[in-house]
Amino acid sequence: MEWKKRAQTLYQYLLSKLGQCDLCGNCLHDSSLTQQTLLCSSCLADLPLFDQAIIQGDLLNWPAINKGLPKINFDHLICLSPYLPPFTHWLPQLKYQGRFELATLLANLLAQQWEKQKLTELIAPVDLILSVPLHINKWQVRGYNQAHLLAKPLAQSLQLPYDEFALIRTQNNTSQVGKTGKERRKTLANAFTLAKELPGNTKHIIIVDDVLTTGSTANEISKILKRVGVNEVTIVAVCLTLPNTNN
């Protein structure tokens, strides 16, 4: 029921403000960690993160991922975790319930992963960060774009320029949940466009989103960017989920 969801969201918000772990409720002994992590050290260590050392931080180095994402137009894929708890709880809370503090938590985790794997040394220098845009009608209903909420603090942490207005979504498509890759590609064809010219000599761009499923959205945006001279596109998402459907 809706009131139960709202009550749970309020409870977790109060926990964060009181300096308690978002998952177990234990006190965060260092109150300075409250806004940075929302998690105690035990719950932080228990997150179901990908083993980044095996794949050198890039999921496209994993053959199974390349097989599951055929005909991709992007060059690198950076994700924290498979779409598993607690991310399956956090991302809907961020997207639909306005738990904005989770954006800071998740962006910090992504930035820490980037720096820990020294991705700046493994891939070409990044010129610009963009976020997957919402159609204006959805934005007016929801009031915010969760991808923007992730991208802005990530850009600040990595000290990279960010432009929330460069990309726009021109089609107000229905939800993509449950659709196959083929259906998503058909729905998303020509759904995005550049609102303005990119800065001169922009060769490598990061696109930030919350979850990557079939890669259709990332592919459409990557095609647009490469048509205007971008050489490399890196997708940065909190989670990766690959449905057992034909792409």
Side-chain angles (χ1 to χ4, degrees), residues 9-217:
T9 299
L10 177 60
Y11 170 73
Q12 288 167 324
Y13 174 78
L14 291 174
L15 282 183
S16 69
K17 291 299 183 183
L18 292 171
Q20 292 180 282
C21 176
D22 195 70
L23 296 179
C24 69
N26 287 337
C27 290
L28 298 174
H29 298 295
D30 183 352
S31 60
S32 67
L33 294 177
T34 304
Q35 294 303 319
Q36 293 182 359
T37 66
L38 302 178
L39 300 177
C40 66
S41 57
S42 296
C43 288
L44 185 61
D46 286 342
L47 292 178
L49 305 180
F50 285 118
D51 188 339
Q52 303 293 336
I54 294 177
I55 55 174
Q56 294 184 301
D58 186 348
L59 282 167
L60 296 188
N61 291 327
W62 190 358
I65 300 301
N66 271 295
K67 184 177 180 181
L69 294 171
K71 302 177 182 178
I72 58 174
N73 296 300
F74 49 90
D75 304 280
H76 309 284
L77 176 59
I78 315 300
C79 295
L80 283 176
S81 167
Y83 193 51
L84 296 171
F87 297 98
T88 51
H89 306 299
W90 280 340
L91 289 176
Q93 288 172 354
L94 169 62
K95 188 172 182 178
Y96 300 115
Q97 300 175 26
R99 287 201 65 201
F100 301 142
E101 72 276 14
L102 291 173
T104 303
L105 163 65
L106 298 171
N108 284 343
L109 290 173
L110 284 166
Q112 289 167 16
Q113 173 184 309
W114 186 280
E115 292 165 355
K116 182 178 180 181
Q117 296 302 315
K118 298 181 179 178
L119 293 175
T120 303
E121 300 174 12
L122 294 175
I123 60 180
V126 175
D127 300 304
L128 184 64
I129 293 182
L130 306 177
S131 53
V132 174
L134 279 181
H135 189 272
I136 185 62
N137 290 352
K138 276 190 178 176
W139 189 93
Q140 287 173 331
V141 171
R142 191 177 301 165
Y144 56 89
N145 175 8
Q146 75 279 0
H148 162 69
L149 296 177
L150 292 165
K152 186 175 181 179
L154 177 64
Q156 291 172 342
S157 294
L158 298 181
Q159 298 184 327
L160 291 170
Y162 169 57
D163 191 336
E164 65 177 295
F165 302 111
L167 276 171
I168 59 173
R169 188 161 189 154
T170 57
Q171 296 181 16
N172 188 19
N173 306 114
T174 58
S175 173
Q176 303 300 300
V177 176
K179 292 184 178 180
T180 65
K182 183 177 181 180
E183 291 169 336
R184 286 172 183 246
R185 285 193 296 272
K186 184 177 180 180
T187 300
L188 292 169
N190 303 312
F192 304 95
T193 190
L194 281 170
K196 57 185 178 180
E197 290 187 9
L198 298 174
N201 205 35
T202 300
K203 298 301 180 184
H204 186 186
I205 288 180
I206 285 176
I207 303 296
V208 177
D209 205 358
D210 53 351
V211 181
L212 187 139
T213 302
T214 65
S216 299
T217 297

Side-chain angles (χ1 to χ4, degrees), residues 214-232:
T214 65
S216 299
T217 297
N219 274 334
E220 286 300 314
I221 294 175
S222 298
K223 284 192 289 187
I224 292 169
L225 296 176
K226 292 192 172 183
R227 285 192 201 117
V228 297
V230 175
N231 292 336
E232 288 188 52

